[in-house]
Structures are given as C-alpha cells and as structure tokens.
Amino acid sequence: MSTTELQAIEQTPMTLIAAAIEHGADPDRLENLLALQERWGANQAEKAYAAAMHAAQQEMPTVVRDAENSQTRSKYALLESVQKQCKPIYEKHGLSLSFGEADCEAANHKRTTCDVRHVDGACHSYHLDLPIDGVGPKGNAIGGMNAVQGAISTTSYAQRRLVCMIFNVTIAGDDDDGASASPSITGEQVAILNGLLDRIHPDDKELDNVLRFAKVDALDKLPLRLFGTVKRGLEQKAAAYQ
C-alpha cells in the first residue's frame, strides 16, 4: 500500500482533531473540526444502516399465511409468524425495531409508528395510519368488536404491515385480514415507484399497466398490500434498460 493510500485512510476527522490539539489550534478551529467529526460520523452510520438494510432485505423469506379471518373467510399471516421469520435476520445485521403510537389527524384512524435502529447509531422512522377495526366511518361500532379489541386488532395488523413494508417481505397470496383497513402506499413509496417508472421507456406505458393491474386511477391510490409485487415487477422491467 502506498504512502498516499495510507494517508487517505488515516486522515479522519478524529486524527485531524488530535493533530490540531497537538499544535495548539484555536477554539474556533477545534469547533469546526468537531462539527466535521459529527457530520462524518453520521454519514458513516447512514452507510452502515443502508448496507445492513440491503443485506437483511436480501435474506427475507416469503411468509406463509397461517391464520384465518372468520368474518372474511380469508387467510393471513400472524404478526408472531412474521416476526419469528424476520427478527433473527434483521437482528443478525444489527437492526432493531421499536413500535409505538402517534397522533393521527384522520378521524377514527390510528397511527402506528416504527423506529428502525442500527447498532452504529442511524435511526429511520416509519408510520402507518389505519382505520380502527370495529369502528365505522361515523364512529359507530361495527363487526361485533369493542373498543379495546378494535385497537388491538388495528395495532397488530399495522405492525405486521410495517415489518413487511420496511423489509420488503412477501406474503404468500393476498394478506387482507384487515378487511376494514385497506391503506394506500405512502408518499415515499410513490416516489420509489416513480423512480423505477422513469427508468422504463415511455413507449412501454408501464404506468398504465400498473394502474390497470391494481384497478386504481392514480399511483398514490395503489393498495399498500400490492406495493411489493408492483415494485419487484418494475425493478425487473427497469433492469432491461440498464
């Protein structure tokens, strides 16, 4: 390894700070170097987070539906099943999840939050707003659920969907036990899909194909449960133009 290469490796903000202190740098110089160190550390943490997330997503399995909604007669994957298969993978890559709640502007909706942290310090926050199970659009009780049961059902469904959304987990078949809760994709997810569409030749009319497939008239109305399927399809199509 050359001297230049060694110098490039050794010249971190911390080495610069040590050298500045040794040479009696003034307080303003030290303050600037400390700010540089903070930015450098945050950048390194983000790189580590991105690498860990990529590695975890690559290893995520397809989760099989193992429970049935007696009201809709449809099968779905339990939160416990999703976590059982996914948790060992994301923990292996230094990631952890913290769920919580936050204020939601929509009436009779509940916001479930999820903070994804990496051991090197980076943290990204996600949330999902869902109609509360057992509560109609006018606040009336429906479906035979009391308030506690409805809140628990909504939270469980939201946590499961957040895990699947964050790590791009595929549920085998339709996962729609939250029949009363059919959220659309987030603005961030719309941006992801638009970025993929931009890489596909316009003559392909891929946006029209997506809207026709999802039976919606705009991309921001795409059901959340279809995001993974559509994203993978667009990624495959976009790869043909690289």
Side-chain angles (χ1 to χ4, degrees):
M1 184 176 292
S2 68
T3 302
T4 302
E5 289 174 325
L6 285 171
Q7 289 175 343
I9 292 173
E10 294 171 357
Q11 288 286 25
T12 67
M14 284 304 297
T15 60
L16 293 175
I17 291 172
I21 293 174
E22 183 179 350
H23 290 84
D26 60 76
D28 288 341
R29 171 65 172 164
L30 289 176
E31 185 176 350
N32 289 335
L33 287 173
L34 288 170
L36 175 62
Q37 165 62 24
E38 185 175 348
R39 293 194 299 272
W40 184 84
N43 184 56
Q44 293 299 107
E46 282 298 321
K47 288 181 178 180
Y49 178 95
M53 180 61 71
H54 175 75
Q57 288 182 345
Q58 293 298 308
E59 295 181 27
M60 287 296 163
T62 296
V63 178
V64 178
R65 297 173 296 167
D66 56 357
E68 184 172 353
N69 185 321
S70 59
Q71 293 183 338
T72 62
R73 296 183 180 179
S74 60
K75 289 188 175 181
Y76 63 97
L78 290 166
L79 173 61
E80 293 83 354
S81 302
V82 174
Q83 283 284 56
K84 182 179 180 179
Q85 296 189 56
C86 298
K87 187 175 181 179
I89 295 173
Y90 63 71
E91 285 188 338
K92 180 179 72 173
H93 293 288
L95 297 165
S96 62
L97 308 185
S98 297
F99 292 103
E101 298 178 6
D103 293 337
C104 183
E105 296 179 358
N108 301 318
H109 280 58
K110 184 175 184 179
R111 172 168 295 185
T112 302
T113 63
C114 181
D115 290 336
V116 185
R117 291 182 173 84
H118 185 253
V119 289
D120 283 357
C123 179
H124 287 227
S125 298
Y126 303 82
H127 73 267
L128 187 60
D129 296 340
L130 293 176
I132 300 175
D133 282 352
V135 178
K138 296 182 179 180
N140 55 306
I142 59 174
M145 285 187 179
N146 60 40
V148 174
Q149 291 171 326
I152 292 174
S153 175
T154 302
T155 299
S156 177
Y157 181 76
Q159 289 180 358
R160 184 170 69 255
R161 294 311 305 170
L162 280 167
V163 172
C164 293
M165 179 183 75
I166 292 166
F167 294 108
N168 199 21
V169 176
T170 301
I171 301 293
D174 293 331
D175 179 18
D176 198 21
D177 62 303
S180 63
S182 53
S184 300
I185 59 176
T186 65
E188 182 179 359
Q189 290 171 318
V190 171
I192 291 173
L193 298 184
N194 276 326
L196 291 169
L197 287 167
D198 288 342
R199 292 161 52 189
I200 300 172
H201 197 282
D203 288 348
D204 287 346
K205 298 182 178 179
E206 199 61 30
L207 176 58
D208 292 339
N209 295 334
V210 170
L211 299 181
R212 192 179 308 112
F213 165 73
K215 299 180 180 179
V216 294
D217 58 6
L219 193 59
D220 60 2
K221 295 181 181 178
L222 183 80
L224 181 61
R225 63 185 176 83
L226 297 180
F227 175 71
T229 300
V230 172
K231 179 173 176 286
R232 285 188 294 274
L234 292 179
E235 286 173 338
Q236 293 174 359
K237 197 70 177 285
Y241 288 95
Q242 293 181 345

